[in-house]
């Protein structure tokens, strides 16, 4: 991270696909080729854990901190690898272009995965590799596969509404039920095997292109998750498995009543007694999958905003200390190096900065925030960037640069930007003006949302914080990422000494 470079932010679901949402198939490989052609060093994605439609398919609210989202499995690659026949792909539903159809993608892939599982069971080829995967991933895979199967068995009810003996993991009752549902458990493990098989192949291809992968760890897990069910003592839950307090952030520039995330928060005293084993397992899992890992809402490891369960907004919360220093010390002892990026946006206090400095963790600078009127952040102006940081034109939580300029920026905001840029920039070129400012900055690393490279408007926004529905659905159309865009991006990358070669 200590040499100049740049890359692009694009989640897997946002890739083009004929199967409802982007996946790990041919378009992912084409995007890796695009990155290499454009001279980029990094591909940053959002968390690829399973998503829950009850939480708007947000990748930041997952039923597992370890599992992969099997809706990202590529049907085309399953055919190429021999897990499916070409005829199994039909009939294929008509999916919308340019938006994700999460529900339709789940239905379609579930049918394909069921066919792949039946075919796999009829033959011996590949059994050894599958069994090896199950053994290597057992620390999380056993609980996850059992959890998902039990969710199916109990018709989708959250785990704290299961029969008491199963909710509380009574050994005798669990053994009896596990025996009854064991075929389905093994099927869930197989789906995870397919996901991580395809991910590892894509990661290996990216390495051949000198493209490094940046992953993302959501600081919290879902209340109805394999992690909370298997480890209830690590979270602030009552005897029935219900959160006593939930996560969020106080009022900020995104929302005047704060953001109420409703995830359970950690019982850090319990984590300390295990020397943070669950967190270290989680970090190690991600370090094996990615070259760098962003910790979302890093400040929550220093102090978290706890809101009493049942509140309608995040206003009535309070800051509660968390042991970031002790956790990172344990991580440093285990891994020696910490390839982490700290998401340090929002209300950041000196103790957060102190921890980041102690472990030399780079933070994030968002260029849009430098020109947002009353909330403008002078430290987000490019001339103020330190080397050890990741600079962004915007993130998945921001409007696109063009969308911001055309629909959100005031006349004063635009004037502030023009004054800083040294010229009046037409709207159709505003994204390249932002990109140039980020690229010429002292920041070691610049990450650009693909929407900003393409100059897309507000319709291409990925997420609007504090809005529950309609997020995470934006998707590239086939051919939308062009050679001309790669050439222009490469030229700017070379001018400012960030090219990968």
């Amino acid at each position: 991270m200590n040499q100049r470079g740049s890359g692009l932010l694009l989640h897997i679901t946002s890739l083009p696909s004929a199967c409802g949402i982007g996946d790990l198939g041919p378009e992912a490989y084409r995007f890796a080729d695009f990155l290499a052609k454009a001279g980029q060093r990094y591909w940053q994605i959002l968390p690829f854990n399973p998503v829950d439609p009850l939480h708007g398919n947000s990748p930041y609210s997952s039923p597992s901190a370890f599992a992969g989202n099997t809706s990202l499995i590529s049907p085309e690659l399953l055919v190429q690898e021999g897990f499916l026949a070409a005829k199994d792909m039909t009939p294929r539903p008509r999916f919308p272009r340019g938006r994700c159809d999460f529900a339709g993608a789940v239905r379609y892939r579930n049918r394909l995965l069921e066919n792949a599982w039946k075919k796999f069971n009829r033959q011996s080829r590949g059994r050894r590799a599958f069994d090896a995967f199950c053994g290597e991933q057992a620390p999380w895979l056993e609980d996850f596969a059992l959890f998902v199967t039990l969710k199916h068995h109990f018709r989708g009810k959250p785990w704290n509404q299961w029969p008491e003996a199963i909710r509380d993991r009574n050994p005798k009752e669990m053994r009896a039920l596990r025996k009854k549902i064991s075929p389905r458990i093994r099927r869930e493990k197989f789906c995870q095997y397919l996901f991580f098989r395809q991910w590892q192949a894509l990661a290996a291809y990216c390495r051949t292109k000198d493209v490094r992968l940046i992953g993302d760890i959501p600081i919290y897990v879902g209340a109805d998750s394999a992690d909370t069910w298997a480890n209830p003592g690590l979270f602030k839950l009552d005897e029935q498995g219900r959160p006593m307090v939930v996560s969020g952030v106080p009022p900020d520039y995104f929302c005047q009543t704060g953001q109420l995330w409703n995830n359970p928060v950690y019982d850090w005293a319990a984590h300390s007694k295990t020397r943070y084993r669950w967190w270290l397992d989680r970090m190690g899992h991600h370090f094996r999958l990615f070259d760098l890992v962003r910790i979302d809402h890093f400040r929550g490891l220093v102090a978290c905003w706890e809101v009493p369960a049942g509140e309608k907004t995040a206003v009535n919360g309070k800051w509660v200390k968390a042991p970031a220093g002790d956790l990172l010390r344990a991580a440093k002892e285990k891994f020696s190096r910490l390839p982490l990026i700290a998401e340090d946006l929002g209300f950041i206090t000196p103790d957060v900065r102190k921890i980041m400095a102690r472990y030399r963790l780079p933070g994030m600078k968002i260029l849009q925030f430098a020109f947002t009127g009353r909330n403008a952040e002078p430290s987000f102006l490019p001339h103020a960037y330190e080397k050890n940081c990741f600079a962004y034109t915007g993130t998945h939580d921001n409007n696109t640069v063009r969308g911001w300029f055309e629909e959100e920026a005031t006349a004063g905001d635009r004037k502030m930007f023009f004054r800083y840029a040294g010229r009046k920039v037409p709207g159709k070129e505003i994204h390249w003006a932002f990109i140039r400012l980020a690229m010429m900055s002292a920041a070691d690393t610049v990450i650009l949302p693909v929407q900003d490279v393409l100059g897309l408007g507000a319709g291409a926004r990925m997420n609007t914080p504090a809005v529950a529905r309609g997020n995470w659905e934006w998707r590239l159309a086939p051919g939308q990422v062009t050679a001309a865009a790669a050439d222009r991006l490469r030229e700017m990358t070379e001018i400012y000494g960030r090219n990968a070669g």
Side-chain angles (χ1 to χ4, degrees), residues 335-383:
F335 304 114
S336 87
R337 62 182 290 270
L338 299 179
L340 296 172
I341 304 163
E343 188 268 280
D344 58 341
L345 307 175
F347 180 69
I348 303 300
T349 48
D351 52 352
V352 179
R353 298 288 177 218
K354 185 177 179 180
I355 288 292
M356 290 174 60
R358 181 186 306 168
Y359 291 96
R360 292 193 50 75
L361 301 183
M364 296 172 57
K365 301 294 186 184
I366 311 303
L367 189 51
Q368 276 190 44
F369 290 165
F371 307 104
T372 49
R374 284 185 322 212
N375 296 318
E377 291 277 352
S379 65
F380 287 175
L381 288 167
H383 71 266

Side-chain angles (χ1 to χ4, degrees), residues 81-120:
E81 295 165 344
F83 291 103
L84 289 175
K87 63 180 180 169
D88 293 325
M89 295 272 288
T90 57
R92 184 167 62 196
R94 291 176 62 89
F95 291 110
R97 286 168 58 94
R99 306 298 293 180
C100 291
D101 179 358
F102 290 101
V106 168
R107 288 192 297 269
Y108 180 57
R109 282 173 175 78
N110 278 348
R111 173 170 66 81
L112 299 183
L113 291 172
E114 183 64 24
N115 289 340
W117 171 236
K118 289 176 180 177
K119 182 175 181 180
F120 183 77

Side-chain angles (χ1 to χ4, degrees), residues 19 21 23-24 50 68-79 81-85 88-91 102 104-122 130 144 148 183-184 186-198:
C19 301
I21 62 173
D23 57 39
L24 300 172
N69 182 353
T70 55
S71 292
L72 304 183
I73 294 172
S74 164
E76 291 95 336
L77 293 188
L78 291 182
V79 172
E81 295 165 344
F83 291 103
L84 289 175
D88 293 325
M89 295 272 288
T90 57
F102 290 101
V106 168
R107 288 192 297 269
Y108 180 57
R109 282 173 175 78
N110 278 348
R111 173 170 66 81
L112 299 183
L113 291 172
E114 183 64 24
N115 289 340
W117 171 236
K118 289 176 180 177
K119 182 175 181 180
F120 183 77
N121 267 334
R122 291 194 298 266
F130 171 51
F144 174 74
V148 174
R184 175 91 185 196
R186 193 157 171 83
R187 177 193 179 277
E188 295 298 338
K189 293 180 180 179
F190 175 71
C191 293
Q192 289 298 309
Y193 167 65
L194 295 179
F195 173 88
F196 283 103
R197 176 188 173 96
Q198 289 192 359

